[in-house]
Amino acid sequence: MNHDDSGKTQAQLIAEITALRQRIAALEVGALAAQSEASAERLRQVVRNMPVMMLAYDQARLNIVVWNQECERVTGWSAAEIVGDPLAPLKYYPDEAYRRYLYAEWDRLGDDYRELETHMTCKDGSVRVVAWSNISGRFPIPGWGTWAVGVDVTARKAAERVLLNARDELERLVQVRTRELAESNRQLEAEIDERIQAEEAVREREERLRRVLEHMPVMLIAYDEQASTLVVWNRECERVTGWSAAEIVGKTGTEIHPLLYPDKDYLRHVWELMKQGGDRYRNLEWDWMCKDGTRKTISWSNISGEFPIPGWATWAVGIDVTERRKTQQRAMELIVEQQRVQLLQQFIGDISHDLKNPLASMMFSLGVIRRTANEGQRQQHLEIIDTQIRHLEKVLEDLLNIVRLDRDVALSLQFADLNPLAAQIAAQEQGAVAARGQTFAVQTARQPLRVRCDPARLGQALTNLVVNAINYTPEGGAITLRTFSEDGQAVLEVTDTGIGIAPDVAPHIFKRFYRADQARGAHTGGMGLGLAIAQAIVHAHRGTIEVDSAPGEGSTFRIRLPLVEPA
């Protein structure tokens, strides 16, 4: 019998070596099992918790085997009510005719379509529109006959928080698996077989996870545990941006950001958005620069703070909403164009009215002048013509003013006291007030009201307010022009005892060409531009204009401008 230097027999050495090999194999299988379960957990978490709806049918395509929590959130139907029930479609597609239509569409499209919109009836009776995408024909998943993902496009909201209902069951399976592995450790051959099976299971699960992440029709990005290097850039990211995974994956944010955000100022804006959202935001939109130089608007949702994925510090899913944004922009442009057309139509109607009446009056007066030899009548009608010409001049001056203000309000700014300006405007309009039998009081502040303004332009705005008060105050009424300071502002206030303004009219009086009583334009001498011009001038001075009024109680207009402290 052979002995080594320690005195052990060859049989004893072989037994010890065999026992050592069995313990090493047991440790390897345990590690492999842990890796398998970690992959399974990762797949379960991604499928159940991703913020898009996902369902899958069994191989026979009779029963639903996957109905994730986003499906439950959107429809109200729980997995318990749907999974395994061959009549489940009758719940969310209760209308027979519509159901036949969908079956025909699915037969026609097969297992390769994107964004097929269906109207799903929820458990509470409401109906939501869901855009389904099915690419299981190109990317089959073992164990599933067909599968699809959907996005609730009724309100364009991503999935709500999901709960990890399977945690207890998964722990139970881990315990069962651990006992099975412990039992199989007794024989080396059984351990080898178990290890091979576990390796195949890991590869299968990792491949399934890779396929789901790689090919799902929403963008998916993820950073490593240090949040420094991009580790996931799926095919939807490649399709939308043109940047391949080989060009992006493995690079740091410092390397990637110049590609996606060439404008540094815009990058800082995006960083602020992401900092505010952290790892818990939904439907934040910003632009990416694609490889071909085009820009795409992406709506991002990040719920990695709520549902962390092992190995990923943060992850987010995105949807390309560029076309939706363009559609919204086109709709807005159409609305603006329609408003322009309406404004032009209103302008043509108003200008026709405001030109036709004076011209008719002048034509009549000219006819009288030609036919009569009476010098008194001739002089009377010449004055009528002169009045109408001044009216037309006022109309044209208002039109020119509004055109100039649209192009650019060129102000000759200087420091000025509003008290003398108010007194000047009052003296200028005193004749018009007297002609209408009205009274005009001026109350200026005791102290100078020094502002930085264009006196000519500001005087034009104040004149328009005074003329407006004169036009809409009956004979015997009173008009008051006040200047005072309030809360660090200089205030020009015009008050009248006129007819007042109805509450439904007040929001519109500063609009161009607006007149509460269209028949009064020719008599009041304006086209509804006076208040619009006044507002534009005041805004150009960084001031505000406001009105307080009630029918039959008169009106008060106030211009507020920032006071300037004496040098």
Side-chain angles (χ1 to χ4, degrees):
M1 179 178 295
N2 296 326
H3 293 77
D4 63 3
D5 293 340
S6 64
K8 295 181 180 180
T9 65
Q10 184 175 9
Q12 291 173 326
L13 291 174
I14 292 174
E16 290 180 1
I17 291 172
T18 300
L20 180 61
R21 289 179 59 196
Q22 287 178 347
R23 286 196 296 274
I24 292 172
L27 292 174
E28 290 178 349
V29 170
L32 190 59
Q35 181 182 3
S36 172
E37 294 306 326
S39 296
E41 173 65 9
R42 181 178 299 178
L43 175 60
R44 287 176 181 272
Q45 289 193 30
V46 170
V47 170
R48 288 192 58 77
N49 299 319
M50 64 181 178
V52 291
M53 300 169 69
M54 184 170 188
L55 63 80
Y57 277 83
D58 60 14
Q59 291 286 8
R61 302 194 179 197
L62 295 177
N63 294 319
I64 293 175
V65 295
V66 173
W67 179 269
N68 71 353
Q69 293 196 15
E70 182 66 1
C71 292
E72 294 180 325
R73 187 191 71 80
V74 171
T75 66
W77 296 108
S78 67
E81 296 171 298
I82 300 299
V83 172
D85 184 359
L87 300 179
L90 275 65
K91 297 177 180 177
Y92 46 84
Y93 298 128
D95 184 80
E96 183 178 355
Y98 183 62
R99 203 164 52 249
R100 286 199 302 268
Y101 159 75
L102 289 179
Y103 288 154
E105 279 294 286
W106 290 329
D107 289 341
R108 180 176 67 84
L109 296 173
D111 289 335
D112 190 3
Y113 58 82
R114 286 176 179 267
E115 298 184 358
L116 174 63
E117 294 187 359
T118 67
H119 293 73
M120 300 187 73
T121 299
C122 302
K123 189 173 182 179
D124 62 4
S126 62
V127 176
R128 304 187 73 82
V129 181
V130 178
W132 291 101
S133 296
N134 185 328
I135 53 173
S136 58
R138 287 184 289 165
F139 306 105
I141 304 300
W144 297 351
T146 184
W147 61 278
V149 294
V151 177
D152 176 12
V153 297
T154 308
R156 290 287 181 185
K157 292 183 177 178
E160 293 186 354
R161 301 175 182 178
V162 294
L163 299 175
L164 300 178
N165 295 326
R167 178 177 295 173
D168 294 340
E169 176 64 15
L170 191 57
E171 291 179 354
R172 187 187 65 81
L173 291 175
V174 170
Q175 293 173 1
V176 171
R177 190 66 170 165
T178 301
R179 288 195 296 269
E180 291 175 353
L181 291 175
E183 181 68 21
S184 65
N185 285 339
R186 296 180 181 181
Q187 296 183 1
L188 181 60
E189 190 67 29
E191 173 60 28
I192 294 174
D193 291 340
E194 185 64 31
R195 183 174 62 183
I196 292 174
Q197 294 175 11
E199 289 175 351
E200 291 177 349
V202 169
R203 285 194 295 270
E204 179 182 343
R205 287 166 180 162
E206 289 182 344
E207 179 63 17
R208 179 181 297 179
L209 173 62
R210 187 190 65 79
R211 288 185 180 183
V212 170
L213 299 182
E214 188 70 17
H215 301 293
M216 65 181 183
V218 291
M219 301 170 71
L220 176 67
I221 60 173
Y223 278 86
D224 63 8
E225 290 180 328
Q226 288 71 41
S228 60
T229 302
L230 194 79
V231 293
V232 175
W233 181 268
N234 71 348
R235 295 207 176 170
E236 186 69 0
C237 290
E238 294 180 324
R239 185 187 71 81
V240 171
T241 68
W243 297 105
S244 68
E247 296 171 296
I248 299 296
V249 172
K251 292 185 176 181
T252 64
T254 305
E255 297 171 304
I256 297 170
H257 291 156
L259 303 177
L260 303 178
Y261 309 105
D263 185 332
K264 293 182 179 179
D265 291 335
Y266 187 71
L267 174 58
R268 283 193 289 270
H269 165 70
V270 172
W271 266 115
E272 286 301 318
L273 289 178
M274 289 192 287
K275 283 170 60 179
Q276 292 173 11
D279 289 334
R280 298 169 183 264
Y281 59 81
R282 295 176 184 268
N283 298 328
L284 284 184
E285 295 183 4
W286 56 78
D287 292 343
W288 270 10
M289 178 69 74
C290 299
K291 190 174 183 179
D292 61 5
T294 60
R295 288 186 178 276
K296 296 288 182 69
T297 302
I298 314 298
S299 176
W300 289 102
S301 296
N302 185 331
I303 55 172
S304 55
E306 301 170 64
F307 307 106
I309 303 299
W312 297 352
T314 183
W315 60 279
V317 294
I319 299 173
D320 179 7
V321 296
T322 307
E323 290 304 318
R324 185 190 73 186
R325 178 74 68 84
K326 289 179 179 178
T327 300
Q328 292 173 342
Q329 180 63 28
R330 286 193 292 267
M332 183 60 66
E333 290 172 355
L334 178 60
I335 291 172
V336 171
E337 185 61 27
Q338 288 172 341
Q339 291 175 343
R340 288 176 179 170
V341 170
Q342 291 173 357
L343 188 61
L344 180 59
Q345 290 173 341
Q346 180 182 353
F347 167 74
I348 292 172
D350 287 344
I351 194 67
S352 299
H353 181 273
D354 283 303
L355 294 179
K356 183 177 179 180
N357 287 347
L359 289 174
S361 177
M362 286 190 290
M363 289 296 293
F364 175 76
S365 294
L366 283 174
V368 172
I369 291 171
R370 291 192 186 102
R371 292 192 302 271
T372 183
N374 185 307
E375 186 61 28
Q377 288 187 351
R378 291 169 65 89
Q379 187 62 36
Q380 178 184 358
H381 284 282
L382 283 173
E383 291 176 359
I384 292 174
I385 292 173
D386 182 66
T387 300
Q388 296 302 329
I389 288 174
R390 286 198 300 272
H391 170 71
L392 292 177
E393 287 178 343
K394 178 65 169 59
V395 169
L396 293 176
E397 182 63 24
D398 282 349
L399 290 174
L400 289 174
N401 277 328
I402 204 70
V403 169
R404 294 190 193 104
L405 292 172
D406 274 344
R407 291 177 180 171
D408 182 21
V409 183
L411 301 178
S412 298
L413 296 174
Q414 57 185 276
F415 295 107
D417 182 1
L418 295 186
N419 290 331
L421 178 64
Q424 176 188 341
I425 300 303
Q428 171 187 305
E429 300 299 329
Q430 193 67 49
V433 172
R436 294 177 65 94
Q438 301 163 341
T439 61
F440 195 176
V442 181
Q443 302 172 5
T444 56
R446 294 182 179 180
Q447 74 282 5
L449 298 179
R450 195 164 180 264
V451 299
R452 192 164 183 262
C453 68
D454 182 335
R457 285 290 192 182
L458 190 58
Q460 181 184 3
L462 183 56
T463 298
N464 286 356
L465 296 186
V466 173
V467 169
N468 185 75
I470 294 171
N471 287 336
Y472 292 103
T473 300
E475 183 177 351
I479 299 169
T480 303
L481 172 56
R482 295 177 59 216
T483 64
F484 57 94
S485 63
E486 183 177 74
D487 297 330
Q489 294 180 315
V491 182
L492 291 165
E493 181 180 88
V494 179
T495 302
D496 63 60
T497 58
I499 61 175
I501 303 170
D504 60 326
V505 172
H508 307 288
I509 61 173
F510 292 106
K511 294 180 180 177
R512 299 175 185 184
F513 308 113
Y514 183 81
R515 291 188 298 231
D517 183 355
Q518 298 295 329
R520 301 170 63 181
H523 301 294
T524 58
M527 295 181 60
L529 290 174
L531 294 180
I533 292 172
Q535 183 186 59
I537 293 173
V538 172
H539 286 176
H541 283 79
R542 299 184 182 276
T544 61
I545 186 169
E546 62 192 40
V547 61
D548 292 328
S549 185
E553 298 180 8
S555 303
T556 298
F557 286 83
R558 297 184 192 89
I559 294 174
R560 298 180 183 271
L561 298 172
L563 273 172
V564 177
E565 294 294 332

